[in-house]
Amino acid sequence: MTFVSLTFAVFFTGVLLASRLPLSWRSKKLILLAASYIFYAAWNPPFVLLLLGSTAVDWVLARKIHASSAPSERKWLLGASLLVNLGVLAGFKYAGLFVSTTSFLLGKTGAEAFSLPSIILPVGISFYTFQTLSYSIDVYRGRLRPADDVVDYALYVAFFPQLVAGPIVRAETFLPQCKVETKATGDEVGWGLSLFVFGLFLKTVFADALFAPASDALFTTTASPTLADAWVGTLAFSGQILCDFSGYSLCAIGLAATLGFSLPDNFFRPYAAIGFSDFWRRWHISLSTWLRDYLYIPLGGNRHGVVRTAAALSLTMWLGGLWHGAAWTFLAWGVLHGAYLVVERLCRAKFSAVTWTHSTAFRLFAMGLTLILVVIAWVPFRAPTFGRMFEVWAAMVGQSQATTSLIVDVRLWIALGALVVLLSAQFFTRNLPLRILAMKVPPAARAVLLALFLLAIFLAPVDDRAFLYFQF
Amino acid sequence: MTVHSSTSNSDLRGVLAKGLEQTACRPPDGGNALGIVIAAAVLVVLALGVWEGVVREHGFTPSVVDDKDLWAKRRLEVSSEKETLVLLGKSRMLMGFSPAAFSRRYPKWSVHHLAVQGMGAWATLKDLADDESFRGVVVVEMTPPDVTPQAYESQKPWVDRAKAMTWDERGHVALRTALQERIAFLHPRARLDQVFESLWNKGTLPDPGFITNFADRHQEVDFQKVDATILARQFEALRVEQARRAGRPVSPDFWLRFAMQIEPMVEKIERRGGKVVLTVFPVSGGSIPFADRFYPKTLFWDRFASLTKATTVHWRDNETLAFECPDTNHLDKRDTEAFTDALINEMILKRALPPP
């Protein structure tokens, strides 16, 4: 069930009304849990069993870890959690890639090609697996007491607003919210609905109606692109993925707010970042902080010298790339970002004392450079093959023989216009949270803006498109 | 990736100090957020009400978006009851068969329009044949050129969509269609991009067109709203192009071999007590000599009809089925009920349908 469907509108209205009934908090949590499983079952009912299994495994293991005082036993139990969670993720998500790559490599030696039957990827598996993993690891580290109530824990894993595409929530922020009911006030319901509408607006209007046609024109064809095609199509995809994913996150945060839950922010004007460490503090924040806490720091972080830090950074980014999808092009995206971060770190160490690097002009230059390099890195993320990736990159630097443009019509100007609006908004509100921005707008103007967003959603000329991040 | 130091996250603190705190879920201070949402909703209802009036004034009436999703929903509604009528084929079926006329004579039967514009029916017929629960009557509108290897596969994406459709997608399509049946600004030709394009190019709203799509997927064509001679000329040009591409006419034996690939599907359905009726809908004007030149009835259709176990109905075998098609290929909405009645009579006569 996607947020853009009318079924979801009916479903959520029912859930919201149920959350206002004069019932006990536990009954309401049970209703929310049941609603979350129904929400998940809408994609593929049998996969609810997988979700239940994942929930049960970490519920049991975390309690055992907490109860045990023997370090070796605790390690074994944590190992079991990692094995089950990562095993399931690997089986569903990466088995196909592993087998096809092995077949390809063996094919080079003359062996016969082989393949796996296609495996359906359970939607949201990458997200909820990371949540259950972080829960067990936090209990192991002693940062978190296991949940007292299985309903609370199950709701933490399956809470429908963020179940299938994040934000990835930590148990330490979610479980305390399950202890006592915090009924959303009228203000919170109104603000939550406003965020939901704004998120849907970003998704349906900006991502789907304005950016997707130009992006698709470049990446869903095999025809050679011109220099303009390569840049406009890639810039359009940069806009599309930001609006699609940040739109989903806003919807999730807004829906949760109407139900009295706080979810963490997931995006903060990433295209106005100055440098790549800044970019990753602003892009998919819940994933980047997860990778920092559960991968980068355990790999040594920056405590063991330049080389080890660079290795930890790179490995973290490579795995972060693969987390997004079972294709080597995603790894290439991670490799690029890893390299960006390593180079930036080296440059910072060398030039941080130089005064002109703190000037406004340099900061603007760094912002532009960051954006361009981030855009260039989106090519492997979106390109279906390495061949297409190199073709687009070649066209970006003028190495294209194409004479006929792929994005010849009004789509080009629409995408560019939308990009100007998006980047201007990112730049001018670089450090302004949405709520502060909203406070600067008079209430009447906010109502008119919200009405315009809603009208645009109703009348947007797009076909149904799933959120991009459902595939991850 | 955040690359804070594992011992110090001073970078993060620096950014937080500039206002990057996690606050999206907290409502702004000093505003009535719920009041704002309610005001916005009222504005939207008012604006959409005005817009509805404007598009209706311009001649738009409600017309549903007929896409793969609607088709898939209708396919999944085909029941296992014997009193089930499934309509397959292309645009001539969508525009020519009146479900209302059928339901008047067979009120207990369910009717399912599964024809697809420009796509041969065979993948859907195969799907119904493979559906062990299906025992109803299938009426297939076909033309001899539909019998090609490509046409066998052309509706497969529709069949696949139905197989992959989830219950919430069905719910979405049901709700969406219910709205589109009632609201004129949801007309496929009143989409915002088309409105802007028309305003930009012509300075007026787009033309509502002469075809209305209904929730049961049948279409009504009102040729009084259009210059049918222009459409007839377009079909003529299409036929010339088809003839040029076809080169010499296809051999009847070659065609018959392909046509008989339908037979296992027919047998499967009829073995379960169902019926398959293969029909050729009326055409007129230049379409008749084209058909005669490339697919002479005696060499193609009549031979096929003598071999297949399906019931066959050709409009040229029964003058009550002959209707004038203003564009040479499709019936006007004023003729569909009479045509459907005539087709039903013919099917009753041939025992493909029980008497009402």
Side-chain angles (χ1 to χ4, degrees), chain A residues 1 6-7 42-43 186-187 190-191 195 265 268 277 280 288 291-292 296 302-303 313 316-317 433 435 439 459 461, chain B residues 1-6 15 19-20 22-24 26-29 31 33-34 37 40 48 166 168 172 176 192-193:
Chain A
M1 197 182 298
L6 293 167
T7 331
W43 274 282
D187 244 14
W191 178 242
L195 289 179
D265 290 0
F268 204 100
S277 49
W280 281 104
S288 63
L291 291 172
R292 177 196 65 195
Y296 173 65
N302 64 355
R303 288 169 299 183
L313 261 182
T316 305
M317 288 312 300
R435 61 184 295 271
M439 281 155 62
L459 302 173
Chain B
M1 182 75 31
T2 317
V3 287
H4 315 301
S5 153
S6 56
V15 177
L20 198 79
Q22 308 277 295
T23 58
R26 275 176 48 206
D29 302 331
L34 189 58
V37 170
L48 291 180
T166 61
D168 90 289
H172 172 71
R176 182 193 81 179
L192 213 51
D193 56 337

Side-chain angles (χ1 to χ4, degrees), chain B residues 192-237:
Chain B
L192 213 51
D193 56 337
Q194 305 208 18
V195 169
F196 283 137
E197 193 181 328
S198 179
L199 286 173
W200 183 265
N201 292 331
K202 296 188 283 187
T204 63
L205 289 179
D207 180 42
F210 56 100
I211 299 173
T212 306
N213 306 330
F214 291 86
D216 64 3
R217 296 194 65 255
H218 90 275
Q219 298 180 333
E220 276 186 7
V221 191
D222 187 351
F223 283 110
Q224 287 183 359
K225 289 184 176 171
V226 67
D227 185 349
T229 55
I230 294 174
L231 295 172
R233 276 204 296 275
Q234 286 172 351
F235 273 113
E236 184 61 38

Side-chain angles (χ1 to χ4, degrees), chain A residues 378-395:
Chain A
W378 284 128
V379 175
F381 193 95
R382 178 64 179 88
T385 60
F386 279 114
R388 188 62 178 172
M389 175 186 84
F390 286 121
E391 204 171 12
V392 173
W393 273 344

Side-chain angles (χ1 to χ4, degrees), chain A residues 373-430:
Chain A
L373 291 175
V374 164
V375 167
I376 287 169
W378 284 128
V379 175
F381 193 95
R382 178 64 179 88
T385 60
F386 279 114
R388 188 62 178 172
M389 175 186 84
F390 286 121
E391 204 171 12
V392 173
W393 273 344
M396 281 174 138
V397 291
Q399 300 299 305
S400 167
Q401 305 302 315
T403 50
T404 312
S405 177
L406 303 173
I407 315 170
V408 285
D409 49 23
V410 70
R411 289 173 297 180
L412 184 145
W413 300 108
I414 288 174
L416 284 179
L419 199 74
V420 169
V421 171
L422 179 71
L423 293 181
S424 304
Q426 296 264 304
F427 178 76
F428 289 111
T429 67
R430 185 169 181 272

Side-chain angles (χ1 to χ4, degrees), chain A residues 275-295:
Chain A
F276 298 96
S277 49
D278 189 25
F279 175 79
W280 281 104
R281 275 194 298 276
R282 294 164 177 273
W283 181 275
H284 203 169
I285 299 164
S286 64
L287 175 69
S288 63
T289 49
W290 196 101
L291 291 172
R292 177 196 65 195
D293 294 343
Y294 301 104
L295 196 56

